[in-house]
Amino acid sequence: MSNIPHIETVGNSFSQQIVDLIIPIQQIEFGVPITLADQPDLLDIENNYHATGGNFWGALHEGKVVGTIALIAIGDNKGVIRKMFVNKEFRGKEFGIAQKLLDQLVAYCRVNGISDLYLGTVDILKAAIRFYERNGFVTIAKQDLPATFPIMSADNVFCHLEIR
């Protein structure tokens, strides 16, 4: 197998690997007080992401999930980015996984008529916020989110990208 991680659509068969990637990053690395019980979507990716008209992608390295990004379609040509996580050992420009994941999601949006992307994150994730800003996202007020935006309790920074 190639040593370069590749991006592909993933479903429920990857749920445990995704949980094993995301929960430690949230809880241990960044100290975000969120549990699996707070995000049951991780146990049913196909109904929570694919069935919405969105998708869930994994960055796979030697068959193991080392990065994720997900899209929920919320109607009216709008989508929400969720679950953008990359294993610490695979972060940075050497692999470019975060950029490849985001590029895949934006390309999917273009093909599927989603013209506005939103996301929520936590202010302590400074590098993630800078990454989104470098990719054209602008910070917006919580009250400027679409009514259909599914707010996570931990989120306190919200961003928007108009896809051209």
Side-chain angles (χ1 to χ4, degrees), residues 23 52 72 79 88:
I23 298 291
T52 71
I72 301 172
K88 195 172 193 168

Side-chain angles (χ1 to χ4, degrees), residues 1-139:
M1 281 215 148
S2 170
N3 282 331
I4 299 170
H6 69 280
I7 311 301
E8 67 179 61
T9 295
V10 295
N12 290 344
S13 65
F14 286 91
S15 288
Q16 190 58 55
Q17 283 193 52
I18 291 166
V19 167
D20 293 345
L21 171 74
I22 292 176
I23 298 291
I25 292 173
Q26 292 171 322
Q27 294 178 349
I28 299 165
E29 190 174 344
F30 292 105
V32 177
I34 191 167
T35 66
L36 180 57
D38 297 320
Q39 35 195 351
D41 55 305
L42 294 177
L43 299 175
D44 192 358
I45 290 164
E46 292 163 16
N47 279 320
N48 287 289
Y49 295 96
H50 301 174
T52 71
N55 207 337
F56 202 112
W57 294 270
L60 301 180
H61 179 257
E62 298 176 353
K64 185 172 186 216
V65 176
V66 297
T68 60
I69 193 168
L71 173 72
I72 301 172
I74 59 170
D76 198 28
N77 301 321
K78 294 174 176 29
V80 175
I81 294 178
R82 282 284 172 78
K83 308 306 177 192
M84 174 69 146
F85 292 96
V86 177
N87 178 303
K88 195 172 193 168
E89 296 172 23
F90 290 89
R91 291 183 197 150
K93 293 188 192 242
E94 178 186 353
F95 294 105
I97 291 175
Q99 191 64 57
K100 289 175 186 171
L101 286 164
L102 182 61
D103 290 348
Q104 182 75 37
L105 184 144
V106 170
Y108 178 92
C109 289
R110 285 191 173 109
V111 169
N112 290 281
I114 295 173
S115 57
D116 288 280
L117 269 178
Y118 296 88
L119 65 91
T121 189
V122 184
D123 57 5
I124 61 171
L125 302 180
K126 306 282 187 216
I129 294 167
R130 284 192 307 272
F131 170 78
Y132 290 123
E133 289 171 345
R134 280 195 312 273
N135 278 281
F137 283 82
V138 294
T139 302

